[in-house]
Amino acid sequence: MITLQGPDKKAVLNFQPGQRFPRQVFLRIYERELNQTFVGIVDLNKNTLTKWQAIPQVQAAILPLD
């Protein structure tokens, strides 16, 4: 699962023209070969992975391929 995380309300209310909003993507990934689920956050402005964590004893939802 990949979802865009919008900026928090404070960033929206304090927006000034020319400023950049914080833009992040939340990831939830199931690695079948490892039988492990991971969550992560990617900062789209900096193109960096800011969080990566294994979640023990959790299996992410698996969607059928079309």
Side-chain angles (χ1 to χ4, degrees):
M1 175 178 80
I2 301 172
T3 57
L4 181 64
Q5 291 186 317
D8 64 14
K9 189 172 184 175
K10 183 178 177 180
V12 173
L13 292 173
N14 292 326
F15 175 76
Q16 298 293 321
Q19 283 183 331
R20 294 176 69 179
F21 277 122
R23 295 180 43 94
Q24 298 181 333
V25 173
F26 173 80
L27 311 165
R28 181 174 295 131
I29 298 170
Y30 176 66
E31 176 56 57
R32 188 179 314 188
E33 290 181 13
L34 299 175
N35 191 29
Q36 207 166 9
T37 299
F38 298 89
V39 293
I41 297 178
V42 175
D43 184 321
L44 296 177
N45 291 332
K46 297 177 184 176
N47 293 325
T48 58
L49 181 66
T50 59
K51 178 180 180 179
W52 187 254
Q53 179 181 3
I55 307 297
Q57 301 177 353
V58 171
Q59 181 174 335
I62 299 173
L63 302 174
L65 298 174
D66 290 337

